[in-house]
Amino acid sequence: MKKFIFACNFKMNVVDVEKYMEAMKDENYDNVIICPNFCDIREYTKLNKSNKVFIGAQNVSEFEKGAHTGEVSAEMLAKIGVQFCIVGHSERKKYNTETLIQTNEKVKRLIENNITPIICVGEELYSDPTKQEEYAVRYVLSELNEILKDIDINKVIIAYEPIWAIGSNNVASSQHIKTVLSAIKKYTNVEFTLYGGSFGEKNYEEIAMIDVVDGALIGGASLKPELICKMQKRVKELYE
Ligand code: 13P
């Protein structure tokens, strides 16, 4: 049976691990990946033990080690139990000027340390709305062309997050998501693709039913543990 991945990106927010513990009680959530801020990762490894939740990080250094003040290496993340890591998020490109070459290096460091990269790609709004889909496909494939250089495609997950849909309540249409994710799968052969951008209570059932979607990368809604649990249970039912 297909499993829908719930990858939770808390961004620079704090969610008390006890709240997740309470919401998850005794059930297993082995299709949920929680990516808290660096400081809270160790706390969240508790959930990995009690509820089989996977632990992720939101960023990693492109360097192995050494004089890189403020950076955290892939080896350090692996040592504390991190199994997934988001890379190339549009917010890092926008506010931290992360380049595609850096993202490619980060992916390499993660794979070297047996951490699965969740590679983010996504386009801005196009001047002609009738050509948004076509533009999106061209844009994300050109990003992936750089990011995936010398990378084993079987070791990564690709998350498509249209920038205009992030935190905007302006979720992409099912048709749009299907077109872009189908193109990503066709041209890269990647097995797992996620959708991200205003994913939540109002649209999760529809998105989960799109055949090329294997999960979601969730910002705002992931700060509500009960909602994540509710959506996870409902999607499981839908897949049965
Ligand atoms: P929202 O779900 O808040 O739109 O954020 C999406 C996102 O950026 C996840 O990485």
Side-chain angles (χ1 to χ4, degrees), residues 9 11 89 91 161 165-168 196-199 217-221:
N9 176 9
K11 307 195 179 182
H89 193 283
E91 287 152 13
E161 299 202 300
I166 296 177
S168 64
S198 298
F199 178 93
L217 183 53
I218 311 162

Side-chain angles (χ1 to χ4, degrees), residues 18-19 44 67 95 146 148 158 178 186 202 233:
E18 306 303 334
K19 291 207 172 113
Y44 268 86
Y95 302 114
E146 293 293 320
L148 295 175
I158 297 176
K178 193 175 163 98
K186 182 170 171 200
K202 290 192 206 128
K233 282 185 190 140

Side-chain angles (χ1 to χ4, degrees), residues 3-71:
K3 265 191 191 174
F4 189 87
I5 302 165
F6 288 82
C8 300
N9 176 9
F10 290 176
K11 307 195 179 182
M12 204 168 71
N13 295 295
V14 175
V15 185
D16 193 345
V17 69
E18 306 303 334
K19 291 207 172 113
Y20 257 96
M21 286 282 213
E22 175 58 25
M24 291 184 159
K25 293 262 172 50
D26 298 326
E27 267 189 62
N28 284 340
Y29 285 84
D30 58 0
N31 55 340
V32 174
I33 305 168
I34 305 245
C35 309
N37 66 71
F38 282 132
C39 301
D40 288 346
I41 289 177
R42 266 185 207 273
E43 275 293 285
Y44 268 86
T45 54
K46 280 186 202 167
L47 271 183
N48 170 254
K49 295 194 180 81
S50 60
N51 303 83
K52 311 265 186 255
V53 164
F54 291 100
I55 304 304
Q58 299 173 20
N59 186 32
V60 67
S61 172
E62 73 256 40
F63 303 107
E64 259 174 60
K65 60 176 162 191
H68 300 288
T69 304
E71 295 290 322

Side-chain angles (χ1 to χ4, degrees), residues 74-165:
E75 191 181 349
M76 291 167 184
L77 294 177
K79 242 185 213 159
I80 60 165
V82 168
Q83 296 144 298
F84 292 84
C85 182
I86 299 166
V87 280
H89 193 283
S90 60
E91 287 152 13
R92 294 211 57 84
K93 289 176 182 137
K94 182 174 173 188
Y95 302 114
N96 305 82
T97 60
E98 181 165 327
T99 65
L100 300 177
I101 295 170
Q102 284 174 307
T103 307
N104 167 269
E105 287 297 322
K106 291 179 182 196
V107 171
K108 287 179 184 158
R109 296 301 84 74
L110 291 169
I111 292 175
E112 284 159 10
N113 286 280
N114 297 316
I115 296 173
T116 304
I118 301 175
I119 300 170
C120 301
V121 288
E123 86 289 0
E124 298 270 10
L125 275 181
Y126 192 59
S127 50
D128 177 354
T130 64
K131 301 223 165 77
Q132 187 69 35
E133 255 176 55
E134 193 188 314
Y135 172 66
V137 169
R138 253 189 297 128
Y139 191 87
V140 301
L141 293 184
S142 73
E143 284 194 294
L144 288 169
N145 199 31
E146 293 293 320
I147 299 172
L148 295 175
K149 268 185 191 144
D150 304 316
I151 302 297
D152 179 351
I153 195 68
N154 298 311
K155 300 205 164 147
V156 308
I157 292 176
I158 297 176
Y160 169 54
E161 299 202 300
I163 296 170
W164 46 270

